[in-house]
Amino acid sequence: MMNVLLIGSGGREHALAWKIAQSPLLGTLYAAPGNPGIADHALLSPLDPFDQDAVVAFCRDKAIDLVVVGPEAPLVAGLADALSAAGIPVFGPSAAAAQLEGSKGFTKDLCARENIPTGAYQRFNNAPKAKAYVRAQGAPIVIKADGLAAGKGVTVAMSLDEALGAIDDCFEGAFGEAGAEVVVEQFLHGEEASFFCLCDGVTALPFGTAQDHKRVSDGDTGPNTGGMGAYSPAPVMTSALIEQTMTEIIEPTMRGMAAMGAPFTGVLYAGLMIDETGPRLIEYNARFGDPECQVLMMRLKTDVLVLLKAAAEGRLAEVAADWRNEAALTVVMAAEGYPGTPRKGTPIAGLDAAEATGAKVFHAGTALNDGQLVATGGRVLNVTALGPDVTTAQAKAYAAVDAIQWPGGFCRRDIGWRAVEREAAAAPD
């Protein structure tokens, strides 16, 4: 039996905890810091994931056999390195490998070296030079804070004024240290998709596709968020496109990282833009997507602990991932004010009624206050359902959303619209 420590407190981690808890290999599951949903599956600990000595000591005390790191910030800070140095198996990349997410510029330079298809780009450390480049290129154009900005450091500027304003935001400290350097890149046309691989430094195992909905409002309008909903699989990612992505993007990345002495282990999450020429890399993340993890865990048939352990031990070539034929769709319920300043402390009820519909509600930004579930974050709940197609999964997810009583929350009502349109077009008259 394996004792597992899960790091994180969001919807992604609740989905991982829910799935890990189903494993016959599991001894005790601990989570730090966790949330009320994760508490149904794990013993919660107030450990600070940035206090690496404390995490190592906890692992020794509890005889932890595997640490699974959910969020990106502890990885970029080197948590996996500290655990590995202490001989504790960890699922997640080293600080050097996590630069694939921690620095947009690092990834762009890797793409240039390895001939990986991506948008043209330039890196800047001051506003006047960045603005001069933007004026020369024109809009639409993409402005990215180089470092970690919780999914919000990217502006797809449709006008020159918007682009210049985004550069000012970065250099004037809107994203803190993340904006000390800016990457300006070509606007890519096409359809976005998310592609995931589990990696052990040598082997990359394809681990599903999804499509995220970044904008806050229906019709893909309003500011970018960390993600307002997702579904899996993404119909745009055909088996031929998956093969092309592995050959042209994932495998050269794995080779390039190993050649640099920073082999990548953990989840490699490629944000792709698909056009008539095939996939191009928008950016990498070094962990599961949130909310994409939620739909992947709903569809995964294989024991996730077997896969995570194999990745941590360099044995991915020995295992395979088996998937349900169904589609999964998740709707993010967010607190009023998100992605600006969310209203915190508003009461939530009706989760049992929502799950009685057959859906699964993952907790993201929640807490218990004198026994009452309340919202504590921007993205608060992930209402997730399975169906034979995306249209059915969408209907089931929204039926569950409608059972939740939370006047202080809101959600998009069109998650999955691209796939629903495709399914309607393909249906016989």
Side-chain angles (χ1 to χ4, degrees), residues 63-75:
I64 298 295
D65 299 296
L66 178 68
V67 179
V68 178
V69 186
E72 60 274 17
L75 292 168

Side-chain angles (χ1 to χ4, degrees), residues 253-313:
T253 298
M254 294 292 286
R255 286 195 300 270
M257 293 302 289
M260 290 170 64
F264 189 92
T265 65
V267 185
L268 192 56
Y269 157 15
L272 304 174
M273 186 68 80
I274 314 297
D275 65 14
E276 59 285 347
T277 65
R280 282 195 280 180
L281 181 70
I282 302 171
E283 64 185 14
Y284 274 131
N285 293 307
R287 37 74 192 177
F288 282 113
D290 190 349
E292 294 97 335
C293 183
Q294 291 80 317
V295 287
L296 291 173
M297 291 303 128
M298 288 288 276
R299 289 186 54 233
L300 181 65
K301 281 167 72 174
T302 309
D303 181 343
V304 74
L305 205 45
V306 168
L307 300 176
L308 300 181
K309 189 172 192 288
E313 294 176 353

Side-chain angles (χ1 to χ4, degrees), residues 13 69 131 154 183 203-204 231 287 317 355 422:
E13 289 79 31
V69 186
K131 288 181 174 180
V154 176
V183 175
T203 301
Y231 62 95
R287 37 74 192 177
E355 293 202 327
R422 275 197 175 98

Side-chain angles (χ1 to χ4, degrees), residues 166-182:
I167 290 168
D168 283 335
D169 282 348
C170 286
F171 287 117
E172 286 167 11
F175 307 110
E177 289 295 307
E181 185 173 306
V182 168

Side-chain angles (χ1 to χ4, degrees), residues 10 16 38 53 64 99 102 162 169 177 181 327 344 363:
L16 286 167
I38 294 171
D53 291 344
I64 298 295
Q99 287 183 90
E162 193 183 357
D169 282 348
E177 289 295 307
E181 185 173 306
K344 294 191 178 176
H363 291 239

